[in-house]
Amino acid sequence: MMRGASADAYAAAAEALPASGDLGKVAQDLFGISDLVRSEPGLRRVATDASIPGAAKADLLRGVLAGKVSTEALDVVTTAVSQRWSAGRDLPDALEELGVVAAVRSTGGDVARLEDEIFAVGRLVQANPDLRDALSDPARSRDDKSALISGLLGDKVLPATVALVRQSLSGSHRTVTVALASYQKVAAEVRGQGVATVRVAQPLGQPERDRLAAALARTYGREVHLNVIVDPEVIGGIRVEIGDDVIDGTVSSRLDEAGRRLAG
């Protein structure tokens, strides 16, 4: 989470992000610019140097990027570099997150579907060691990994989902699954929601999901998107993780607690 000057700079750049138009293109451009700034220390130092006037830095980035990216993405970047940043690394991180916001907005009314697809891909990667190893293998090029993702997802998911999964390969997050979890949180925030991970022994029916979502919304004061994981180790009951809060009403946890009391 950005703080201080970087938080203000991010907010200013976010104001320049369009709410409509070819947002998929804007997202791709911002991802590319983020990768460029992250990989070029000299450019990053100049772009975040507080001693250089903001207008001069904006002109520099226009010279580098004009004709190569959309006008909308260029407006976001020039606004960003005109601000003061607390740390150089915050600029590419902010541009990546704004790219995620643009990708989310590009789905229109399908944001909930996007969240579900991102979560499903993350679970798929976690559950398949061979896939996880292939995506984290430093010997494989990013293009090779992107081709693997394209073959895996094809046209089964939203274009924004494919774009975000590909971006998760950039290495700006510790792992692909960490990146995807971060992107899902951004998607939820765009909708003004929270995200809850729910572990149950058996799949929840829609009425049960609706009741749980409504209860969490009352508790946290905003709607909550549910990521439901069926976990046989739960035995029965339910475990909910939302932010730093854990609500554990599972049979397994109660058995563990009973065991500790007997042992004590």
Side-chain angles (χ1 to χ4, degrees):
M1 183 178 294
M2 295 179 191
R3 301 182 183 277
S6 288
D8 293 337
Y10 177 88
E15 286 292 323
L17 191 66
S20 59
D22 190 353
L23 293 172
K25 168 64 173 169
V26 174
Q28 293 286 8
D29 288 343
L30 290 175
F31 290 151
I33 298 166
S34 171
D35 291 346
L36 173 66
V37 174
R38 188 175 283 117
S39 65
E40 296 290 341
L43 178 62
R44 185 172 64 252
R45 280 195 297 271
V46 172
T48 57
D49 189 337
S51 69
I52 301 175
K57 293 186 286 185
D59 287 343
L60 170 64
L61 267 294
R62 284 193 191 94
V64 172
L65 299 172
K68 300 175 184 176
V69 300
S70 63
T71 301
E72 294 84 356
L74 187 56
D75 287 344
V76 174
V77 174
T78 53
T79 299
V81 300
S82 298
Q83 312 304 312
R84 183 182 181 89
W85 294 88
S86 304
R89 66 179 179 275
D90 288 347
L91 174 59
D93 288 349
L95 294 176
E96 180 177 4
E97 182 162 321
L98 290 170
V100 176
V101 174
V104 172
R105 290 180 180 174
S106 75
T107 66
D110 281 335
V111 179
R113 176 183 168 187
L114 175 69
E115 292 180 71
D116 287 338
E117 289 179 352
I118 294 173
F119 177 67
V121 174
R123 292 288 296 166
L124 178 65
V125 173
Q126 285 184 319
N128 289 269
D130 290 343
L131 176 60
R132 186 171 63 247
D133 291 345
L135 295 178
S136 61
D137 186 353
R140 302 185 70 159
S141 69
R142 186 171 171 183
D143 287 344
D144 184 30
K145 295 174 185 177
S146 292
L148 177 61
I149 290 298
S150 296
L152 180 67
L153 301 180
D155 58 359
K156 305 170 189 173
V157 299
L158 294 167
T161 301
V162 177
L164 291 175
V165 176
R166 285 176 174 165
Q167 180 60 24
S168 72
L169 304 172
S170 69
S172 57
H173 291 77
R174 183 165 47 85
T175 66
V176 167
T177 52
V178 169
L180 294 176
S182 172
Y183 298 164
Q184 194 196 12
K185 288 181 180 178
V186 173
E189 288 167 1
V190 168
R191 298 178 70 200
Q193 292 187 330
V195 177
T197 299
V198 180
R199 294 182 181 273
V200 291
Q202 299 292 333
L204 294 178
Q206 193 58 50
E208 295 171 303
R209 293 176 68 107
D210 291 344
R211 285 196 296 272
L212 176 59
L216 292 173
R218 288 193 298 271
T219 300
Y220 290 93
R222 60 174 177 169
E223 293 185 11
V224 176
H225 184 87
L226 304 182
N227 290 335
V228 179
I229 299 174
V230 177
D231 183 356
E233 294 186 3
V234 168
I235 303 176
I238 188 170
R239 176 186 172 93
V240 179
E241 300 171 18
I242 181 167
D244 294 329
D245 295 344
V246 177
I247 306 167
D248 196 340
T250 61
V251 172
S252 57
S253 69
R254 292 197 292 270
L255 290 173
D256 288 343
E257 178 62 22
R260 284 193 293 271
R261 288 178 179 176
L262 289 172

